[in-house]
Amino acid sequence: MEQPPPSSTGVAARLQQVTKQYQLGKTTVHALRGIDLTIAIGSYTVICGPSGSGKSTALQLLGCLDMPTSGTLEIAGQDVIALSDAARTTFRAQHLGFVFQNFNLLPVLTALENVEYPLQLTVRDPAERRERARAMLTAVGLGDLLHRRPAELSGGQRQRVAVARAMVKRPRLVLADEPTANLDRRTGAELIALMRAMQREHQTTFILSSHDPQMIEDADERILIEDGRVVESTRRQAPLAPAQGVS
Ligand SMILES: Nc1ncnc2c1ncn2[C@@H]1O[C@H](COP(=O)(O)OP(=O)(O)OP(=O)(O)O)[C@@H](O)[C@H]1O
Ligand SMILES: [Mg+2]
């Protein structure tokens, strides 16, 4: 790290000496070989690195979708490894949003229903769930397409639904795995502007993985991973550009 880590009060996520091994028959795959990371609250961080370097694995751990083989993992001040599976599921539902590379939308549900879905665990009133989902889809520019199913939307529109679904519960931390990988340059740039605007407006912490030069260039903090290790971490010093409008 080029700078000392911020004090624990301003920390969204902290990984210390995190390793992750996958067992494939008799072969052990060392996906992460001892990662130390401190992510500040409200920051916009991009993890980059070659294919197979461990980016998706790191995001899955940060998103509590999987647990490390060893090391410590703290999200929003909570030692998530110490939680029971049920408590971790609740923690994830309340505080974390995930945007998958392949969108992971439920095909039989409309855009509105897909965005409403994650609120079922945390918001009891169905009318409030519907209203929040509608407002979030409007915010990402899909207010006219609420009742389309994923198959009836373009890739860029689906990705916007996925971002709306991740944001609708107002999570502390949004994890996005190569969110622009399946989008053309312009649609990718629009999606980046949209996530940036949300990050600034709501002070949500964003951690993304990407090969996309536009996205890497735009980050406040860039973390380069190679072969399961952090080899470079740079923080942008320049003041943030004003938020761009989202069309
Ligand atoms: N479930 C799994 N079982 C076994 N090995 C895995 C599993 N998931 C990932 N790996 C291996 O762990 C390493 C890191 O994979 P990971 O998916 O984190 O890479 P990545 O940086 O996201 O790559 P890409 O840019 O191609 O998405 C790779 O060697 C991969 O083959
Ligand atoms: Mg990956």
Side-chain angles (χ1 to χ4, degrees):
M1 288 290 227
E2 291 194 333
Q3 302 202 344
S7 72
S8 63
T9 48
V11 172
R14 196 194 305 276
L15 279 71
Q16 287 178 304
Q17 284 303 300
V18 164
T19 71
K20 179 66 183 179
Q21 290 153 24
Y22 296 108
Q23 205 62 40
L24 281 179
K26 288 183 180 162
T27 309
T28 303
V29 180
H30 295 270
L32 296 177
R33 296 174 184 267
I35 297 255
D36 293 302
L37 273 187
T38 303
I39 309 280
I41 288 175
S43 68
Y44 185 92
T45 300
V46 172
I47 300 176
C48 51
S51 179
S53 56
K55 303 180 296 297
S56 295
T57 304
L59 284 178
Q60 277 169 16
L61 300 184
L62 285 161
C64 297
L65 298 167
D66 202 354
M67 284 289 106
T69 306
S70 65
T72 64
L73 176 57
E74 225 180 84
I75 311 284
Q78 172 69 53
D79 172 0
V80 290
I81 299 173
L83 295 176
S84 66
D85 287 351
R88 200 178 301 122
T89 301
T90 305
F91 180 84
R92 195 169 57 220
Q94 285 174 338
H95 301 303
L96 306 178
F98 214 99
V99 181
F100 297 90
Q101 184 180 345
N102 57 2
F103 318 135
N104 274 25
L105 299 175
L106 294 167
V108 295
L109 302 186
T110 64
L112 187 62
E113 290 162 348
N114 263 287
V115 175
E116 240 183 279
Y117 190 74
L119 293 176
Q120 286 189 350
L121 269 172
T122 50
V123 179
R124 291 184 65 176
D125 177 11
E128 186 189 340
R129 287 203 295 264
R130 181 131 298 207
E131 195 38 50
R132 276 176 59 176
R134 186 192 303 275
M136 190 52 72
L137 279 163
T138 303
V140 301
L142 295 179
D144 295 338
L145 303 176
L146 299 174
H147 304 295
R148 296 256 190 109
R149 292 198 169 77
E152 298 157 352
L153 295 168
S154 75
Q157 290 165 344
R158 270 179 240 170
Q159 192 62 307
R160 283 168 179 248
V161 177
V163 171
R165 182 184 54 180
M167 292 291 302
V168 74
K169 40 188 189 183
R170 301 178 195 131
R172 297 184 185 204
L173 183 58
V174 173
L175 293 316
D177 197 1
E178 301 199 37
T180 60
N182 293 316
L183 306 179
D184 64 57
R185 213 182 132 71
R186 178 157 171 234
T187 314
E190 284 174 6
L191 188 80
I192 294 169
L194 169 67
M195 291 192 293
R196 265 300 201 183
M198 294 195 152
Q199 174 239 353
R200 288 181 187 147
E201 188 179 339
H202 302 286
Q203 280 294 294
T204 311
T205 310
F206 272 80
I207 309 176
L208 314 100
S209 78
S210 190
H211 292 282
D212 179 348
Q214 293 179 91
M215 186 167 267
I216 296 167
E217 176 61 30
D218 187 55
D220 297 334
E221 184 132 9
R222 294 170 216 171
I223 293 163
L224 174 63
I225 299 189
E226 284 178 11
D227 193 23
R229 291 191 177 89
V230 175
V231 295
E232 206 181 297
S233 171
T234 46
R235 196 170 298 170
R236 189 163 67 172
Q237 295 298 320
L240 293 174
Q244 292 171 20
V246 176
S247 58

